[in-house]
Amino acid sequence: EGSPCFLWFLFQKIYASAPGSYSNLPIGKTERLTEGDSFLNSLFYNDANMKYDLHNHTHYSTCSTFKPLHLLKLAKKIGLDGVAITDHNTLRGGLAVRKLNRDKDFEVIVGSERYTDRGHVLGLYLHKDIRSRVFEEVIQEIRQQGGISIIAHPFRFLPRAYFKREGLSKDSYPDVIECFNSRTAGYANGLARRLAERLDMPKSAGSDTHFPF
């Protein structure tokens, strides 16, 4: 399953054209950055060295047995600066882990993984559950919440798990492409990385952990 290794990530492309330039930000990013958010500051400065795992599941996903407290302890033990909790179609796991966290230097990002008609979408920094299952509408709901959208494992060739981008308008593309997922084959991760480079989009990685072993 790749856990509890928790693959850390560092965005290799920055949303803004240069450090401190916010002209290309999606909806909501500027407001959250001004609140001093440690994770978003790390996106804008190339010398940042913060380590996050952006794809994790707890037992609030029916396919996972990971208890929130166990996940939190493991993430801190291996030296991560934060994790995103992205349970399937619910925020309950992220809210539970955030409530347990007492470390101001460790960030818990509340999110979810939403199944859509074009693939799986991770939404980060969410405040309420995503309602739609239509890809374009999911991206819009995430933007309206000031969140970050990531297309998860875009070349995992399982029914409804890979990214069907044919005919998708540029306005409906996610913010980020997940280019390393520890539960996805290496060749598929390579295809995702090349897609991100071809589209000049930010990359992320995540363990996609489901189990504590």
PDB file of all heavy atoms in Angstrom, residues 20-43:
ATOM      1  N   GLY A  20       6.050  35.610  -5.186  1.00  0.00           N
ATOM      2  CA  GLY A  20       5.396  36.843  -4.764  1.00  0.00           C
ATOM      3  C   GLY A  20       4.408  37.387  -5.764  1.00  0.00           C
ATOM      4  O   GLY A  20       3.740  38.380  -5.511  1.00  0.00           O
ATOM      5  N   SER A  21       4.300  36.744  -6.947  1.00  0.00           N
ATOM      6  CA  SER A  21       3.364  37.207  -7.954  1.00  0.00           C
ATOM      7  C   SER A  21       2.126  36.330  -7.928  1.00  0.00           C
ATOM      8  O   SER A  21       2.211  35.126  -8.096  1.00  0.00           O
ATOM      9  CB  SER A  21       4.006  37.124  -9.351  1.00  0.00           C
ATOM     10  OG  SER A  21       3.052  37.374 -10.346  1.00  0.00           O
ATOM     11  N   TYR A  22       0.964  36.922  -7.693  1.00  0.00           N
ATOM     12  CA  TYR A  22      -0.257  36.151  -7.517  1.00  0.00           C
ATOM     13  C   TYR A  22      -1.223  36.329  -8.686  1.00  0.00           C
ATOM     14  O   TYR A  22      -2.392  36.012  -8.580  1.00  0.00           O
ATOM     15  CB  TYR A  22      -0.957  36.575  -6.222  1.00  0.00           C
ATOM     16  CG  TYR A  22      -0.044  36.621  -5.030  1.00  0.00           C
ATOM     17  CD1 TYR A  22      -0.094  37.675  -4.127  1.00  0.00           C
ATOM     18  CD2 TYR A  22       0.892  35.608  -4.822  1.00  0.00           C
ATOM     19  CE1 TYR A  22       0.762  37.708  -3.036  1.00  0.00           C
ATOM     20  CE2 TYR A  22       1.741  35.637  -3.726  1.00  0.00           C
ATOM     21  CZ  TYR A  22       1.667  36.694  -2.837  1.00  0.00           C
ATOM     22  OH  TYR A  22       2.498  36.735  -1.761  1.00  0.00           O
ATOM     23  N   SER A  23      -0.745  36.785  -9.804  1.00  0.00           N
ATOM     24  CA  SER A  23      -1.643  37.146 -10.891  1.00  0.00           C
ATOM     25  C   SER A  23      -2.353  35.940 -11.491  1.00  0.00           C
ATOM     26  O   SER A  23      -3.430  36.070 -12.041  1.00  0.00           O
ATOM     27  CB  SER A  23      -0.846  37.855 -11.993  1.00  0.00           C
ATOM     28  OG  SER A  23       0.192  37.014 -12.477  1.00  0.00           O
ATOM     29  N   ASN A  24      -1.742  34.744 -11.384  1.00  0.00           N
ATOM     30  CA  ASN A  24      -2.332  33.573 -12.020  1.00  0.00           C
ATOM     31  C   ASN A  24      -3.064  32.668 -11.039  1.00  0.00           C
ATOM     32  O   ASN A  24      -3.375  31.526 -11.359  1.00  0.00           O
ATOM     33  CB  ASN A  24      -1.225  32.753 -12.711  1.00  0.00           C
ATOM     34  CG  ASN A  24      -0.587  33.543 -13.829  1.00  0.00           C
ATOM     35  OD1 ASN A  24      -1.248  34.335 -14.480  1.00  0.00           O
ATOM     36  ND2 ASN A  24       0.703  33.345 -14.036  1.00  0.00           N
ATOM     37  N   LEU A  25      -3.344  33.153  -9.845  1.00  0.00           N
ATOM     38  CA  LEU A  25      -3.965  32.308  -8.833  1.00  0.00           C
ATOM     39  C   LEU A  25      -5.397  31.963  -9.186  1.00  0.00           C
ATOM     40  O   LEU A  25      -6.142  32.799  -9.666  1.00  0.00           O
ATOM     41  CB  LEU A  25      -3.984  33.043  -7.484  1.00  0.00           C
ATOM     42  CG  LEU A  25      -2.676  33.059  -6.715  1.00  0.00           C
ATOM     43  CD1 LEU A  25      -2.826  33.965  -5.514  1.00  0.00           C
ATOM     44  CD2 LEU A  25      -2.304  31.666  -6.272  1.00  0.00           C
ATOM     45  N   PRO A  26      -5.799  30.695  -8.930  1.00  0.00           N
ATOM     46  CA  PRO A  26      -7.214  30.369  -9.028  1.00  0.00           C
ATOM     47  C   PRO A  26      -7.998  31.096  -7.942  1.00  0.00           C
ATOM     48  O   PRO A  26      -7.438  31.652  -7.017  1.00  0.00           O
ATOM     49  CB  PRO A  26      -7.238  28.849  -8.793  1.00  0.00           C
ATOM     50  CG  PRO A  26      -5.844  28.385  -9.035  1.00  0.00           C
ATOM     51  CD  PRO A  26      -4.970  29.540  -8.659  1.00  0.00           C
ATOM     52  N   ILE A  27      -9.312  31.048  -8.037  1.00  0.00           N
ATOM     53  CA  ILE A  27     -10.186  31.732  -7.088  1.00  0.00           C
ATOM     54  C   ILE A  27      -9.847  31.321  -5.660  1.00  0.00           C
ATOM     55  O   ILE A  27      -9.721  30.148  -5.357  1.00  0.00           O
ATOM     56  CB  ILE A  27     -11.650  31.395  -7.387  1.00  0.00           C
ATOM     57  CG1 ILE A  27     -12.025  31.917  -8.766  1.00  0.00           C
ATOM     58  CG2 ILE A  27     -12.592  31.954  -6.329  1.00  0.00           C
ATOM     59  CD1 ILE A  27     -13.367  31.435  -9.258  1.00  0.00           C
ATOM     60  N   GLY A  28      -9.716  32.302  -4.785  1.00  0.00           N
ATOM     61  CA  GLY A  28      -9.592  32.027  -3.362  1.00  0.00           C
ATOM     62  C   GLY A  28      -8.175  31.902  -2.849  1.00  0.00           C
ATOM     63  O   GLY A  28      -7.943  31.961  -1.655  1.00  0.00           O
ATOM     64  N   LYS A  29      -7.173  31.696  -3.728  1.00  0.00           N
ATOM     65  CA  LYS A  29      -5.824  31.449  -3.241  1.00  0.00           C
ATOM     66  C   LYS A  29      -5.218  32.670  -2.554  1.00  0.00           C
ATOM     67  O   LYS A  29      -4.574  32.558  -1.536  1.00  0.00           O
ATOM     68  CB  LYS A  29      -4.924  31.021  -4.393  1.00  0.00           C
ATOM     69  CG  LYS A  29      -5.380  29.755  -5.073  1.00  0.00           C
ATOM     70  CD  LYS A  29      -5.361  28.574  -4.122  1.00  0.00           C
ATOM     71  CE  LYS A  29      -5.627  27.277  -4.865  1.00  0.00           C
ATOM     72  NZ  LYS A  29      -6.893  27.231  -5.566  1.00  0.00           N
ATOM     73  N   THR A  30      -5.426  33.861  -3.129  1.00  0.00           N
ATOM     74  CA  THR A  30      -4.819  35.049  -2.551  1.00  0.00           C
ATOM     75  C   THR A  30      -5.326  35.283  -1.136  1.00  0.00           C
ATOM     76  O   THR A  30      -4.551  35.568  -0.220  1.00  0.00           O
ATOM     77  CB  THR A  30      -5.113  36.288  -3.414  1.00  0.00           C
ATOM     78  OG1 THR A  30      -4.613  36.064  -4.727  1.00  0.00           O
ATOM     79  CG2 THR A  30      -4.450  37.522  -2.826  1.00  0.00           C
ATOM     80  N   GLU A  31      -6.633  35.130  -0.931  1.00  0.00           N
ATOM     81  CA  GLU A  31      -7.193  35.377   0.392  1.00  0.00           C
ATOM     82  C   GLU A  31      -6.592  34.440   1.426  1.00  0.00           C
ATOM     83  O   GLU A  31      -6.253  34.846   2.519  1.00  0.00           O
ATOM     84  CB  GLU A  31      -8.722  35.189   0.356  1.00  0.00           C
ATOM     85  CG  GLU A  31      -9.460  36.263  -0.425  1.00  0.00           C
ATOM     86  CD  GLU A  31      -9.460  35.992  -1.911  1.00  0.00           C
ATOM     87  OE1 GLU A  31      -8.813  35.022  -2.333  1.00  0.00           O
ATOM     88  OE2 GLU A  31     -10.111  36.755  -2.648  1.00  0.00           O
ATOM     89  N   ARG A  32      -6.429  33.162   1.064  1.00  0.00           N
ATOM     90  CA  ARG A  32      -5.920  32.228   2.045  1.00  0.00           C
ATOM     91  C   ARG A  32      -4.439  32.480   2.313  1.00  0.00           C
ATOM     92  O   ARG A  32      -3.970  32.335   3.437  1.00  0.00           O
ATOM     93  CB  ARG A  32      -6.135  30.793   1.571  1.00  0.00           C
ATOM     94  CG  ARG A  32      -5.877  29.796   2.661  1.00  0.00           C
ATOM     95  CD  ARG A  32      -6.445  28.416   2.363  1.00  0.00           C
ATOM     96  NE  ARG A  32      -5.906  27.878   1.134  1.00  0.00           N
ATOM     97  CZ  ARG A  32      -6.614  27.677   0.034  1.00  0.00           C
ATOM     98  NH1 ARG A  32      -7.895  27.960   0.016  1.00  0.00           N
ATOM     99  NH2 ARG A  32      -6.070  27.211  -1.055  1.00  0.00           N
ATOM    100  N   LEU A  33      -3.692  32.877   1.301  1.00  0.00           N
ATOM    101  CA  LEU A  33      -2.279  33.151   1.493  1.00  0.00           C
ATOM    102  C   LEU A  33      -2.073  34.296   2.460  1.00  0.00           C
ATOM    103  O   LEU A  33      -1.175  34.261   3.292  1.00  0.00           O
ATOM    104  CB  LEU A  33      -1.616  33.471   0.147  1.00  0.00           C
ATOM    105  CG  LEU A  33      -0.095  33.690   0.197  1.00  0.00           C
ATOM    106  CD1 LEU A  33       0.597  32.377   0.556  1.00  0.00           C
ATOM    107  CD2 LEU A  33       0.418  34.189  -1.132  1.00  0.00           C
ATOM    108  N   THR A  34      -2.910  35.308   2.408  1.00  0.00           N
ATOM    109  CA  THR A  34      -2.733  36.448   3.291  1.00  0.00           C
ATOM    110  C   THR A  34      -2.985  36.080   4.743  1.00  0.00           C
ATOM    111  O   THR A  34      -2.625  36.818   5.642  1.00  0.00           O
ATOM    112  CB  THR A  34      -3.683  37.596   2.903  1.00  0.00           C
ATOM    113  OG1 THR A  34      -5.038  37.130   2.989  1.00  0.00           O
ATOM    114  CG2 THR A  34      -3.413  38.069   1.498  1.00  0.00           C
ATOM    115  N   GLU A  35      -3.594  34.922   4.994  1.00  0.00           N
ATOM    116  CA  GLU A  35      -3.808  34.477   6.364  1.00  0.00           C
ATOM    117  C   GLU A  35      -2.573  33.782   6.927  1.00  0.00           C
ATOM    118  O   GLU A  35      -2.584  33.288   8.054  1.00  0.00           O
ATOM    119  CB  GLU A  35      -5.014  33.532   6.413  1.00  0.00           C
ATOM    120  CG  GLU A  35      -6.322  34.218   6.041  1.00  0.00           C
ATOM    121  CD  GLU A  35      -7.459  33.218   5.896  1.00  0.00           C
ATOM    122  OE1 GLU A  35      -7.216  32.017   6.113  1.00  0.00           O
ATOM    123  OE2 GLU A  35      -8.572  33.654   5.573  1.00  0.00           O
ATOM    124  N   GLY A  36      -1.502  33.740   6.159  1.00  0.00           N
ATOM    125  CA  GLY A  36      -0.248  33.176   6.645  1.00  0.00           C
ATOM    126  C   GLY A  36      -0.201  31.665   6.605  1.00  0.00           C
ATOM    127  O   GLY A  36       0.533  31.034   7.356  1.00  0.00           O
ATOM    128  N   ASP A  37      -0.954  31.049   5.731  1.00  0.00           N
ATOM    129  CA  ASP A  37      -1.008  29.603   5.651  1.00  0.00           C
ATOM    130  C   ASP A  37       0.357  29.043   5.252  1.00  0.00           C
ATOM    131  O   ASP A  37       0.915  29.398   4.236  1.00  0.00           O
ATOM    132  CB  ASP A  37      -2.058  29.191   4.625  1.00  0.00           C
ATOM    133  CG  ASP A  37      -2.245  27.698   4.595  1.00  0.00           C
ATOM    134  OD1 ASP A  37      -1.432  27.037   3.935  1.00  0.00           O
ATOM    135  OD2 ASP A  37      -3.187  27.211   5.235  1.00  0.00           O
ATOM    136  N   SER A  38       0.899  28.140   6.087  1.00  0.00           N
ATOM    137  CA  SER A  38       2.253  27.642   5.861  1.00  0.00           C
ATOM    138  C   SER A  38       2.365  26.849   4.571  1.00  0.00           C
ATOM    139  O   SER A  38       3.338  26.969   3.832  1.00  0.00           O
ATOM    140  CB  SER A  38       2.681  26.761   7.037  1.00  0.00           C
ATOM    141  OG  SER A  38       1.791  25.665   7.189  1.00  0.00           O
ATOM    142  N   PHE A  39       1.378  26.032   4.268  1.00  0.00           N
ATOM    143  CA  PHE A  39       1.425  25.210   3.058  1.00  0.00           C
ATOM    144  C   PHE A  39       1.425  26.068   1.806  1.00  0.00           C
ATOM    145  O   PHE A  39       2.231  25.897   0.907  1.00  0.00           O
ATOM    146  CB  PHE A  39       0.238  24.252   3.047  1.00  0.00           C
ATOM    147  CG  PHE A  39       0.067  23.531   1.745  1.00  0.00           C
ATOM    148  CD1 PHE A  39       1.035  22.657   1.300  1.00  0.00           C
ATOM    149  CD2 PHE A  39      -1.060  23.723   0.973  1.00  0.00           C
ATOM    150  CE1 PHE A  39       0.884  21.980   0.108  1.00  0.00           C
ATOM    151  CE2 PHE A  39      -1.215  23.051  -0.223  1.00  0.00           C
ATOM    152  CZ  PHE A  39      -0.247  22.182  -0.652  1.00  0.00           C
ATOM    153  N   LEU A  40       0.526  27.044   1.743  1.00  0.00           N
ATOM    154  CA  LEU A  40       0.446  27.851   0.539  1.00  0.00           C
ATOM    155  C   LEU A  40       1.658  28.737   0.369  1.00  0.00           C
ATOM    156  O   LEU A  40       2.101  28.987  -0.741  1.00  0.00           O
ATOM    157  CB  LEU A  40      -0.841  28.683   0.557  1.00  0.00           C
ATOM    158  CG  LEU A  40      -2.054  27.820   0.211  1.00  0.00           C
ATOM    159  CD1 LEU A  40      -3.330  28.531   0.576  1.00  0.00           C
ATOM    160  CD2 LEU A  40      -2.044  27.456  -1.251  1.00  0.00           C
ATOM    161  N   ASN A  41       2.241  29.198   1.471  1.00  0.00           N
ATOM    162  CA  ASN A  41       3.494  29.932   1.335  1.00  0.00           C
ATOM    163  C   ASN A  41       4.563  29.052   0.702  1.00  0.00           C
ATOM    164  O   ASN A  41       5.372  29.514  -0.089  1.00  0.00           O
ATOM    165  CB  ASN A  41       3.976  30.426   2.703  1.00  0.00           C
ATOM    166  CG  ASN A  41       3.387  31.772   3.054  1.00  0.00           C
ATOM    167  OD1 ASN A  41       3.726  32.777   2.440  1.00  0.00           O
ATOM    168  ND2 ASN A  41       2.477  31.796   4.008  1.00  0.00           N
ATOM    169  N   SER A  42       4.561  27.759   1.030  1.00  0.00           N
ATOM    170  CA  SER A  42       5.564  26.862   0.466  1.00  0.00           C
ATOM    171  C   SER A  42       5.388  26.706  -1.037  1.00  0.00           C
ATOM    172  O   SER A  42       6.336  26.407  -1.752  1.00  0.00           O
ATOM    173  CB  SER A  42       5.490  25.489   1.137  1.00  0.00           C
ATOM    174  OG  SER A  42       4.399  24.734   0.662  1.00  0.00           O
ATOM    175  N   LEU A  43       4.181  26.919  -1.559  1.00  0.00           N
ATOM    176  CA  LEU A  43       3.963  26.800  -2.997  1.00  0.00           C
ATOM    177  C   LEU A  43       4.576  27.956  -3.763  1.00  0.00           C
ATOM    178  O   LEU A  43       4.933  27.814  -4.924  1.00  0.00           O
ATOM    179  CB  LEU A  43       2.459  26.769  -3.302  1.00  0.00           C
ATOM    180  CG  LEU A  43       1.638  25.635  -2.721  1.00  0.00           C
ATOM    181  CD1 LEU A  43       0.249  25.669  -3.335  1.00  0.00           C
ATOM    182  CD2 LEU A  43       2.279  24.298  -2.961  1.00  0.00           C
TER     183      LEU A  43
END
